[in-house]
Amino acid sequence: MSEYDEEPLIDTIDLVILFILAVCSALYFARESLPFGKKQTSTGIGVKPLTDAKNGLPTRKKKNRDFVQRMKEMDKNVIIFYGSQTGTAEDYASRLAKEGTQRFGLRTMTVDVEDCDMTLLDVFPSDCIAFFCMATYGEGEPTDDAIEFWELITSENPELSTGIPVEEKPLQGLRYVVFALGNSTYEIFNAVGRTVDNKLTEFGAQRIGKRGEGDDDGSLEEDFLGWKEDMWKAVCDTMGIDQNTIHASARVPAYKITELNSYEPEKVYYGEHSEQALNGYQTYDAKNPYPAPIQISRELFKIRGRNCVHLEMDISESGMTYQSGDHCAIWPMNPEQDVYRILHVLGLWEKRDTVIMVESTDPSATKKHPFPVPTTYATIFRNYLDIHTTTSRQFIGTLAQYVSTEEARAKLTSLGEDKEAYRVEVADSHLTLGELLEKISPGGKPLDTIPLDLIIESLPRLQLRYYSISSSPKATPNSIHVTATVLSYNPSTASEKTVYGLATNYLLQVHRKLRNIQHPETAPFYLYSGPRNKYHDESNNIIRLALHVRRTNFKLPPNPKTPIVMVGPGTGVAPFRGFVIERTWMRTEGVEVGDTVLFYGCRRRHEDFLYEEEFEEYFKVLGDRGKLITAFSRELEHKVYVQHRLREHKEYIWDLLRNRGGYFYVCGDAKSMARDVNSCLIQIAQECGGMDSGNATNYVKDLRNQNKYQEDVWS
């Protein structure tokens, strides 16, 4: 073909391209008016988008995140922000709001930081006060609801609403109070509360009183009570309130409780956690857990008297995905013994199935209901309130005014005022509210003079429990595995009593139910059928657990050739089972993997060695790339722990970390083991790297900063 003959073809292609570009441009500018052009908002992990009420499913209303406007509209002079993972910080925020109103006449409101545009702090009213109740999750991480606020204040150049740079102190009009919640067993204690405090001050804000710091490792309640009195004095001074002239106002019920004579049965909540769950909405998250059928359950310990269960849940129809190292959140329920006890002692047993509405009496409340309603008395205590926890000292003191006998009143007053008596009889004995009220009830008569709204206001909400996932999506993408040691013990202050862990015993009893194992008479039992009998299919022997997946940063290196060293005694081995499975799967697929080293410890090989046979097979597949090093603490005259084995292999560990860029992982007890392992690694850096104490400590810190030293630990 000649050069002349080719010209028409080039012109045609140009015209086609120009036409396509013109059509695409027209479609772009007209996209909002086209049926397929409207943006679908992602609502989580699932299979269908939100629709409207015509289809029986809720639409999500946009929340007004302008908290300054809301304060003005509702005439509030104190706002209490909270960042909470398990509900504890939210509970303390509510208590502060209540006390501020009833004792000092402050006009308070509480709000989740997630529901606020925190860039508006630079226009905060100068005659008001902001409280921050901020919990720290894990090793210095913000709670899920505080991530956006955290990213704002810790960013290099925070952008606030007025655009004033932080160097010019844009928060000079903000006066604030901080109560930080954390756990001192973690190396990074109360990092979020402390950082929020420091950043607010750095940006020009003025803190009122001392920063409160609560330690969830046993002293949180006393930390709070010891801090708040001086804090309130400082707040009163700031707000010009004369504490000598004010009088505490009469208690105003926080909630209005109405028994319903007429209702739509299909709209009553029997343990569902959201409207989405009630309507069968198929996007699953923290507000709408997936009822996953248990495929396999088995006991892992080979000794009587101690239990550890392995559960495998089918998520194939959930649309959920997970990664090795993620957490599985499981929603427990209270044991029926506790539910029956508190219903009887409050005089509600005969009305346990009565449908009720519970509504906040505060028109400014961001949450109009404390839990899904309408519901029943029994459901409140079975699924929504944590009646298995110990009762706080402050709440016990408050209860004294609502009992009818002098003897009961004197007992409650004493426990509310005497720290030592409270510690021995309540805290250390793990005395629940139902047990306490049963103990003081005259002749076993119901204490129906205690307002139910006070109990709803004072008890924490029943919270989900997190478990490290012990499987890998490479091998089992449609199945999540969980490994849980069951908690039960006899308190030294009440040796005749057995205290059962709420969630782990729930999992154990579910396992026993599935395997038709006889249930011990004294052990907790549960309503396995769940809401509307959806959780138990007796004909097919299926029980479901309500769960969802929480993403974590506890992850394998991006490059599978990178060496990994894992330290996980006991159930701390759970995520490492997933890691080892994943690397074994890669090896069988022909992928080259780096050294995979697991330090595992337990008491005795033939009693509580978790997944012994499995690990033998996995490490055979890994061959020279795998190494399993064990420590059995009770088999020798002297106790041997994983940190001892680390020292025995110090040159090898040092070579993997220092010379070959390896990653170091720890999972398990934060209070002792994790700290000892950290100290051991510092010693290895000194002995094998020729570093002094300071440089060795900095080296280990640098590993953490580079995300090469990761922890998944608990207290």
Side-chain angles (χ1 to χ4, degrees):
M1 185 177 290
S2 68
E3 183 178 336
Y4 176 82
D5 291 330
E6 289 178 83
E7 287 182 358
L9 180 59
I10 295 172
D11 289 344
T12 301
I13 292 173
D14 290 344
L15 288 171
V16 170
I17 291 173
L18 289 171
F19 175 75
I20 292 172
L21 289 172
V23 171
C24 290
S25 299
L27 289 172
Y28 175 81
F29 288 110
R31 65 190 185 282
E32 294 298 331
S33 61
L34 296 171
F36 54 80
K38 295 180 181 179
K39 182 178 179 181
Q40 297 294 327
T41 303
S42 174
T43 58
I45 303 170
V47 296
K48 61 183 180 182
L50 282 172
T51 56
D52 58 24
K54 294 178 182 178
N55 297 319
L57 296 175
T59 55
R60 293 185 179 177
K61 296 179 180 179
K62 282 190 175 181
K63 292 184 178 180
N64 177 11
R65 302 184 77 228
D66 187 341
F67 62 86
V68 175
Q69 178 188 1
R70 285 159 61 190
M71 288 179 71
K72 290 179 180 177
E73 290 175 350
M74 295 182 286
D75 190 29
K76 301 296 181 180
N77 59 1
V78 173
I79 186 168
I80 304 176
F81 300 106
Y82 62 84
S84 186
Q85 189 72 24
T86 62
T88 305
E90 180 181 359
D91 288 337
Y92 280 106
S94 298
R95 288 170 62 177
L96 288 170
K98 173 184 172 183
E99 191 168 0
T101 298
Q102 295 186 1
R103 284 185 60 187
F104 308 109
L106 296 168
R107 304 184 301 280
T108 63
M109 64 183 289
T110 59
V111 64
D112 192 330
V113 288
E114 185 177 41
D115 297 331
C116 299
D117 179 0
M118 300 305 283
T119 66
L120 297 172
L121 285 175
D122 58 349
V123 292
F124 191 82
S126 58
D127 58 344
C128 298
I129 293 178
F131 282 61
F132 293 84
C133 288
M134 306 301 298
T136 298
Y137 180 75
E139 283 292 349
E141 298 174 30
T143 54
D144 290 348
D145 59 349
I147 289 175
E148 184 179 344
F149 177 43
W150 177 259
E151 291 175 346
L152 170 69
I153 63 168
T154 58
S155 63
E156 190 172 339
N157 296 299
E159 295 183 8
L160 300 174
S161 67
T162 59
I164 299 174
V166 293
E167 295 81 7
E168 297 181 21
K169 311 293 184 185
L171 301 188
Q172 293 183 52
L174 173 65
R175 299 178 297 179
Y176 71 96
V177 173
V178 173
F179 184 66
L181 299 87
N183 192 305
S184 61
T185 58
Y186 292 95
E187 182 174 340
I188 306 173
F189 176 52
N190 271 338
V192 173
R194 291 176 179 180
T195 300
V196 167
D197 182 20
N198 293 336
K199 287 295 183 179
L200 293 178
T201 300
E202 179 185 335
F203 301 161
Q206 175 191 351
R207 189 183 69 216
I208 299 172
K210 293 182 179 180
R211 178 180 65 227
E213 296 211 350
D215 185 0
D216 197 31
D217 186 32
S219 63
L220 179 58
E221 178 68 12
E222 293 303 325
D223 293 338
F224 175 74
L225 296 178
W227 162 77
K228 69 183 183 69
E229 288 308 315
D230 287 340
M231 178 275 295
W232 283 126
K233 291 177 184 177
V235 167
C236 287
D237 289 343
T238 301
M239 299 297 282
I241 298 172
D242 186 351
Q243 289 184 278
N244 295 319
T245 60
I246 61 173
H247 299 283
S249 60
R251 177 182 176 272
V252 176
Y255 298 104
K256 176 186 177 184
I257 300 171
T258 308
E259 296 184 354
L260 303 181
N261 294 319
S262 61
Y263 53 86
E264 298 178 60
E266 68 276 8
K267 292 186 178 181
V268 177
Y269 291 85
Y270 290 101
E272 296 90 351
H273 293 281
S274 65
E275 192 174 355
Q276 294 97 312
L278 190 67
N279 290 297
Y281 182 62
Q282 297 175 22
T283 290
Y284 302 106
D285 53 26
K287 296 180 180 179
N288 184 25
Y290 175 64
I294 299 172
Q295 297 171 306
I296 294 173
S297 75
R298 68 178 190 266
E299 176 74 63
L300 297 178
F301 285 167
K302 304 164 188 173
I303 183 175
R304 292 194 174 192
R306 297 173 61 212
N307 302 95
C308 182
V309 292
H310 170 90
L311 299 172
E312 300 182 13
M313 281 73 70
D314 181 4
I315 60 168
S316 58
E317 297 183 6
S318 69
M320 294 192 299
T321 61
Y322 73 98
Q323 297 177 23
S324 299
D326 282 344
H327 289 163
C328 176
I330 293 180
W331 292 83
M333 62 180 72
N334 287 306
E336 290 300 280
Q337 292 99 319
D338 289 355
V339 176
Y340 295 173
R341 177 185 292 113
I342 201 163
L343 287 170
H344 277 293
V345 80
L346 292 176
L348 296 172
W349 177 253
E350 300 299 328
K351 301 195 299 182
R352 60 190 180 278
D353 295 324
T354 300
V355 176
I356 60 173
M357 177 63 71
V358 183
E359 300 172 280
S360 173
T361 58
D362 182 359
S364 69
T366 54
K367 291 186 176 180
K368 301 301 181 185
H369 312 286
F371 35 70
V373 288
T375 186
T376 67
Y377 288 114
T379 304
I380 289 174
F381 293 117
R382 178 179 295 118
N383 299 97
Y384 298 142
L385 295 181
D386 189 351
I387 60 173
H388 193 71
T389 190
T390 54
T391 312
S392 75
R393 185 162 64 87
Q394 186 177 27
F395 180 37
I396 290 176
T398 303
L399 286 173
Q401 61 186 297
Y402 296 103
V403 293
S404 57
T405 69
E406 283 298 325
E407 184 180 358
R409 189 176 302 115
K411 183 62 177 178
L412 293 175
T413 300
S414 173
L415 290 174
E417 295 176 351
D418 188 332
K419 291 183 183 180
E420 183 61 15
Y422 171 82
R423 182 190 67 78
V424 172
E425 297 185 45
V426 180
D428 290 356
S429 300
H430 196 91
L431 199 67
T432 67
L433 176 63
E435 290 170 332
L436 172 65
L437 297 180
E438 191 176 58
K439 199 172 183 180
I440 66 166
S441 174
K445 294 180 180 179
L447 298 172
D448 52 10
T449 53
I450 298 175
L452 179 58
D453 75 278
L454 175 64
I455 291 174
I456 293 173
E457 177 186 8
S458 303
L459 285 182
R461 304 295 172 262
L462 189 60
Q463 296 295 329
L464 47 80
R465 267 57 171 179
Y466 293 105
Y467 296 91
S468 300
I469 293 176
S470 55
S471 54
S472 165
K474 299 291 186 184
T476 55
N478 294 321
S479 180
I480 285 178
H481 302 181
V482 163
T483 310
T485 297
V486 180
L487 174 66
S488 64
Y489 67 95
N490 302 104
S492 59
T493 53
S495 57
E496 75 288 350
K497 174 183 178 180
T498 301
V499 176
Y500 296 95
L502 176 64
T504 56
N505 274 276
Y506 173 49
L507 299 181
L508 174 62
Q509 304 314 328
V510 164
H511 160 69
R512 286 173 170 165
K513 182 77 172 176
L514 285 170
R515 302 298 293 269
N516 198 28
I517 298 172
Q518 185 174 0
H519 188 98
E521 289 184 8
T522 57
F525 65 93
Y526 301 84
L527 189 69
Y528 305 103
S529 57
R532 289 181 164 77
N533 300 314
K534 291 181 179 179
Y535 284 18
H536 190 196
D537 179 354
E538 289 197 64
S539 60
N540 295 304
N541 195 32
I542 293 174
I543 294 181
R544 298 172 180 268
L545 293 178
L547 60 82
H548 75 273
V549 173
R550 184 184 189 274
R551 306 299 183 196
T552 74
N553 295 321
F554 195 76
K555 294 289 178 286
L556 283 164
N559 186 347
K561 296 179 183 178
T562 303
I564 59 173
V565 179
M566 303 164 285
V567 183
T571 50
V573 80
F576 302 139
R577 178 178 181 265
F579 284 8
V580 170
I581 289 173
E582 188 149 322
R583 287 218 157 172
T584 302
W585 180 88
M586 289 180 175
R587 183 92 171 188
T588 58
E589 292 293 310
V591 177
E592 184 179 348
V593 299
D595 284 35
T596 302
V597 184
L598 172 60
F599 287 86
Y600 173 73
C602 63
R603 294 182 181 181
R604 296 180 177 88
R605 176 185 291 273
H606 300 298
E607 291 183 359
D608 53 358
F609 191 159
L610 302 182
Y611 305 112
E612 179 181 8
E613 294 80 10
E614 285 188 30
F615 279 130
E616 286 180 2
E617 295 301 316
Y618 297 146
F619 280 96
K620 280 181 184 177
V621 175
L622 290 171
D624 62 352
R625 291 299 187 184
K627 190 182 290 289
L628 173 61
I629 301 168
T630 55
F632 303 110
S633 63
R634 306 293 173 87
E635 288 191 352
L636 300 174
E637 290 183 1
H638 61 284
K639 292 183 179 180
V640 178
Y641 297 113
V642 286
Q643 53 268 34
H644 298 126
R645 297 302 190 209
L646 280 170
R647 287 188 58 79
E648 291 173 6
H649 296 80
K650 60 184 179 181
E651 290 85 2
Y652 178 47
I653 301 303
W654 182 249
D655 177 57
L656 293 179
L657 299 181
R658 182 69 167 180
N659 302 324
R660 296 162 62 182
Y663 279 46
F664 192 79
Y665 299 89
V666 181
C667 183
D669 167 48
K671 194 169 187 177
S672 300
M673 184 276 298
R675 288 184 174 182
D676 289 344
V677 168
N678 184 80
S679 298
C680 182
L681 196 56
I682 292 173
Q683 291 173 353
I684 291 174
Q686 290 178 261
E687 296 170 12
C688 298
M691 300 179 183
D692 60 25
S693 176
N695 287 330
T697 300
N698 289 334
Y699 169 73
V700 172
K701 285 183 178 178
D702 287 342
L703 287 179
R704 291 180 182 275
N705 293 335
Q706 296 167 30
N707 210 31
K708 289 187 173 182
Y709 187 144
Q710 299 182 27
E711 290 183 317
D712 181 3
V713 294
W714 56 84
S715 60

